[in-house]
Amino acid sequence: MNTKDKGFETKLIHAGAFDDPMGSATVPIYQTSTFAFKNAQHGADLFAGKGEGYIYTRIGNPTIDALEKNIAELENGFGGIATSSGMGAVSAVYFALLGQGKHIVCTASVYGPSRGLLEQDFVRFGVEYTFVHTSDYAAVEAAIKANTSVLYLETPSNPTMEISDITALSELAHKHGIIVVVDNTFSSPYLQKPLDLGADVVLHSVTKFINGHADIVGGVIVTKTAELYKKIRHAMVYMGSNMDPHQAFMVIRGVKTLSLRIERAQENAIKIADYLKNHPKIEWITYPGLTSHPQHELAKKQMSGFGSMLSFGVKGGYKGGVTLMNNVHLAILAVSLGGVETLIQHPASMTHAGVSHDEKQKAGITDELVRFSVGIENVEDIIADLEQALAKI
Ligand SMILES: *Cc1c(COP(=O)(O)O)cnc(C)c1O
């Protein structure tokens, strides 16, 4: 079905699906590594980029293709590139767009490994980087150098929920010929469409909201132009960070309920934020939906909802955080986010443990910060769980 002129919820269910020769109502899993050519000419054509068909699953596969088309439509992009994991997507983008002597400006509180990959690995190949609070336009402007080729934004960022102005920063970057990449994992295309706001590339850890059921890891990249699509697809295929057909099937299944899941999780998050903001055991809370959030107005403008991720500081610093985590029963003490189940974690000792203490402080990842990914359980149950655990602090 052509879903181009259909609503977002219709696209979630039908975009990218093809007419299966057996009449399967769902996209089947093409569990194969390789594909038979009809004859020598067919094989030659496919290698030359002409004709219909597939060559080899690392290069392309019907199940993976269906998912790529689905997400590309959700993000209003030219094409999608599915990857083995979110980091597979980040790596392919860095690999395609950076090189010897190039410079990247990146959100300081970006996902830990997205930062570590630059600091520990790409640096060995002569890539330069500057991490700044990208919510601060002037700081981004000051960080741009003659050799800057990429502006990499994560908004809202992980775990500080800092929000960067995609439209204004894209205009600034484009004046300098810089490619804008947005990690849209925290919002998903249901709440934010970076390509519509001016970005050139958007990527996701589909492990989180897009799949939404905490049962696979995966990633996807969507580009605005054919040129960027070709460049990044080449990097992904040559690096071998491709998704596999079974993973793609799971994500196609998961993404169908994206709007329903996000609506419910967000409704819960708003109630939990309201409960926490006046709680005597809470020092502070960061949720874009609260007027106290420093970029609340920007969030209202560039997102269609505030999502279900919040972070807060408990009384008693590090010790208080540990007490809370050891006493929740419903919330699962685990990294990751964006699933149907509520998760709680402590970035300073977990996801961002690899970032130096100094850099953590600069990025706003303080010792008492607890990250909470609100699920779709009964909200009274989640609040009751927090209440009894907070009472132990
Ligand atoms: C989880 C995450 C990633 C990495 O994704 P994986 O699927 O774990 O490789 C990248 N960016 C953000 C914002 C994430 O939350």
Side-chain angles (χ1 to χ4, degrees), residues 35-52 54-55:
F35 294 83
F37 306 130
K38 294 189 182 82
N39 50 46
Q41 187 59 46
H42 182 220
D45 284 349
L46 290 177
F47 271 101
K50 294 182 291 196
E52 292 279 307
Y54 295 90
I55 299 171

Side-chain angles (χ1 to χ4, degrees), residues 85-87 90 111 114 154 158 183 185-186 205 207-208 217-218 337:
S85 66
M87 284 314 297
V90 174
Y111 184 69
S114 303
E154 189 178 303
N158 182 12
D183 182 334
T185 300
F186 267 45
S205 166
T207 313
K208 317 293 167 53
V217 294
L337 58 105

Side-chain angles (χ1 to χ4, degrees), residues 309-322:
M309 293 300 301
L310 40 97
S311 54
F312 53 88
V314 289
K315 289 250 157 76
Y318 188 91
K319 205 164 153 262
V322 169

Side-chain angles (χ1 to χ4, degrees), residues 254-270:
V255 77
K256 289 182 203 282
T257 54
L258 182 72
S259 57
L260 299 175
R261 287 186 279 107
I262 291 191
E263 283 296 343
R264 169 53 78 87
Q266 182 170 262
E267 207 178 289
N268 286 354
I270 292 165

Side-chain angles (χ1 to χ4, degrees), residues 133 135 160-164 284-300:
H133 286 282
S135 58
T160 54
M161 307 304 297
E162 181 177 340
I163 293 173
S164 305
W284 54 266
I285 168 165
T286 310
Y287 177 64
L290 294 176
T291 51
S292 59
H293 188 287
Q295 294 99 35
H296 174 68
E297 287 305 318
L298 173 60
K300 250 175 37 190

